[in-house]
Amino acid sequence: METIYWGCLIGGAIFAVVSLVLGDLIDGLLDGAFEMPGLDFFKPVVLAGSITTFGGAGIMLTRYSSLSAMSGLILSLLIGIAAAMLVFFAYIKPMRNSDVSIAFSMKELSGKIGEITIPVPEKGFGEVMIRFASGSTIQTASSFEHLPIAAGARVVVVDVVDGVLRVSEWDENLLKDL
């Protein structure tokens, strides 16, 4: 039984070292391979940590306790499961919940209010700046209504076509009339 414990401990340690050195490469290769919807508990880092802890606990219990082989196995399994829960709830779940990104999709820009930085001619392109909580972006814009729009004018993004924001001048008075 001790051979199995040593195999788990050494295998988990090797996985930890390899994932430390080649983490991004392994993550890319295994991306989605072990992920099951709703079962984040089975991520490779959780499983590897659990197996390594199981092996280490098994060796310690076999060598330094007077427990029977079956009792040592059961206790090692419980310690491995506890380690998996600790890794999951102390590392995986908080990291998943803290996923913050400043990225945006062009399709998300429809309906956003912006300001023209380079005038938009009737037929042609200018630029619009759209502010987000995390910063701002400047994108190529064209007039949705084929009317010229001056620099500094507030606009609303009506549509996105081939990476170009089609904008229309924002009329504050229109909202007051509603």
Side-chain angles (χ1 to χ4, degrees):
M1 196 70 199
E2 194 171 337
T3 307
I4 293 173
Y5 294 143
W6 275 108
C8 291
L9 180 65
I10 292 170
I14 289 171
F15 180 80
V17 169
V18 169
S19 66
L20 179 66
V21 174
L22 303 173
D24 291 336
L25 179 64
I26 291 172
D27 190 38
L29 292 174
L30 298 178
D31 193 29
F34 292 102
E35 294 181 18
M36 296 172 236
L39 297 175
D40 289 339
F41 201 74
F42 293 106
K43 290 196 174 283
V45 69
V46 175
L47 291 175
S50 176
I51 291 169
T52 305
T53 306
F54 163 75
I59 291 168
M60 299 291 282
L61 290 172
T62 301
R63 288 193 171 185
Y64 302 112
S65 75
S66 58
L67 294 173
S68 68
M70 187 56 77
S71 297
L73 175 66
I74 291 171
L75 190 55
S76 295
L77 282 172
L78 292 174
I79 292 171
I81 291 170
M85 291 173 65
L86 181 67
V87 168
F88 178 75
F89 288 111
Y91 179 71
I92 300 293
K93 193 167 183 177
M95 291 301 285
R96 182 186 63 212
N97 292 340
S98 70
D99 187 21
V100 177
S101 174
I102 59 171
F104 62 91
S105 167
M106 292 295 283
K107 300 232 185 252
E108 292 174 8
L109 295 178
S110 292
K112 299 280 187 199
I113 305 297
E115 181 181 333
I116 297 297
T117 56
I118 295 179
V120 179
E122 291 178 27
K123 295 180 181 176
F125 304 101
E127 284 185 352
V128 62
M129 179 173 56
I130 300 175
R131 287 181 170 69
F132 296 101
S134 59
S136 59
T137 180
I138 295 180
Q139 300 291 325
T140 304
S142 68
S143 176
F144 180 75
E145 299 163 324
H146 301 292
L147 298 172
I149 305 173
R154 289 188 61 174
V155 293
V156 62
V157 178
V158 178
D159 195 11
V160 180
V161 178
D162 296 328
V164 176
L165 306 183
R166 298 183 58 204
V167 297
S168 182
E169 201 157 352
W170 177 256
D171 187 2
E172 294 281 341
N173 296 324
L174 200 84
L175 290 176
K176 292 177 186 174
D177 293 341
L178 294 176

